[in-house]
Amino acid sequence: MRFNDKVVIVTGAGSGIGRATARLFAEEGARVVAADLSEAVHDTVAGLGGALALEVDAGDEGDVERLVATACDRFGGLDVFFANAGISGGASGIFDSTVELWTEVLRVNLIGPALAIKHAGPKIVERAKVTGGGAILCTASVAGLRSGAGGPAYSASKAGVINLVHTAAQQLATSNVRVNAICPGLIETGMTARAFEYAREVGKEDKLGRLNPLRRAGVPEEIARVALFLASDAASYVNGQAWVVDGGLSSSHPVTRQEFGKPAF
């Protein structure tokens, strides 16, 4: 029960990594506030006993303020915020991506975590004065490390998350609140569901994740376990880092050949 009596917020908790992490936090004793734009978030907390589900837009400042305030009012403070919510933005290339697409992807994927840090950070700092520490986690991606793992808007947003974590860790210096990012590789989630479904339909499921040394895709629980470690006291000296969880994909540069004028993905 590593998180007994700890208060934890998880965004993007309606499915995939967020759902798996929220449930695992609850199993470890945390009082969980699961948030998602989808009403499916209520299914996430079903049977968790005391967990709270809220429908919020993680990229809207008013919603993030309300989320943090609700968690603090209900449970008396906040120890961990996992800014996990994100969108893919599709596979458009740089030359056919609209300003509207870029704006929305950056709003959710980058401004969302920035808002989480802005509004949750002071509350976690306040609580850390009593408990001795707290943590903020953000979901980035291997797409934020280099090209070849996502569309340009998505990749740029995740690169921004990695730098945001570096910056936030510095600005929270001496507070005993740590800030880290997780960079998943190919994981079966709501965001990637169409790709997995198509691969199964055409009998090519074995091709998923074939570029990493483990030769397979990951599952949400494998990311959730890393999230819990980074949020726990066991990671008390891990701060300002981007942890890659991708089966070894980023140990090399296995990307598809790209040519100007042709789709990248």
Side-chain angles (χ1 to χ4, degrees):
M1 303 295 283
R2 288 177 289 174
F3 295 92
N4 194 38
D5 294 328
K6 299 289 187 181
V7 182
V8 178
I9 293 175
V10 180
T11 65
S15 64
I17 293 168
R19 172 173 286 183
T21 307
R23 288 176 172 173
L24 196 54
F25 269 123
E27 289 174 11
E28 292 274 3
R31 290 172 287 181
V32 174
V33 180
D36 199 286
L37 192 59
S38 167
E39 62 183 14
V41 70
H42 299 285
D43 296 330
T44 296
V45 304
L48 293 186
L52 177 65
L54 292 176
E55 294 179 36
V56 303
D57 181 344
D60 180 87
E61 185 162 25
D63 274 14
V64 175
E65 285 185 283
R66 176 170 63 88
L67 173 61
V68 172
T70 300
C72 292
D73 290 344
R74 176 68 66 92
F75 298 118
L78 183 62
D79 298 283
V80 177
F81 195 116
F82 183 21
N84 168 70
I87 58 176
S88 74
S92 298
I94 291 176
F95 303 106
D96 55 357
S97 295
T98 65
V99 171
E100 290 76 17
L101 183 144
W102 275 89
T103 300
E104 183 64 5
V105 171
L106 292 171
R107 184 186 74 84
V108 177
N109 292 2
L110 180 53
I111 295 177
L115 292 172
I117 295 167
K118 175 182 177 180
H119 294 288
K123 298 296 183 182
I124 299 175
V125 169
E126 182 179 335
R127 179 92 154 184
K129 293 176 182 178
V130 177
T131 64
I136 298 172
L137 305 176
C138 300
T139 297
S141 170
V142 292
L145 300 173
R146 56 184 62 91
S147 69
Y154 178 82
S155 300
S157 72
K158 294 304 186 178
V161 170
I162 293 170
N163 188 271
L164 173 67
V165 162
H166 294 163
T167 303
Q170 292 294 326
Q171 295 198 2
L172 283 164
T174 74
S175 71
N176 286 326
V177 175
R178 298 174 295 105
V179 190
N180 292 291
I182 301 175
C183 299
L186 180 60
I187 311 295
E188 184 170 8
T189 68
M191 185 184 297
T192 61
R194 290 181 62 186
F196 278 80
E197 291 167 1
Y198 176 75
R200 291 179 180 125
E201 288 172 3
V202 299
K204 294 184 177 181
E205 186 176 3
D206 61 326
K207 301 295 185 181
L208 294 167
R210 70 191 183 281
L211 294 178
N212 73 56
L214 295 182
R215 297 294 192 269
R216 67 172 177 85
V219 296
E221 289 73 17
E222 291 177 300
I223 306 301
R225 289 193 289 270
V226 175
L228 263 72
F229 167 72
L230 290 174
S232 75
D233 291 340
S236 58
Y237 204 51
V238 181
N239 192 23
Q241 302 303 308
W243 275 49
V244 180
V245 190
D246 67 352
L249 176 68
S250 57
S251 63
S252 183
H253 300 273
V255 300
T256 57
R257 184 181 300 276
Q258 298 182 25
E259 297 180 25
F260 176 72
K262 296 182 179 181
F265 303 99

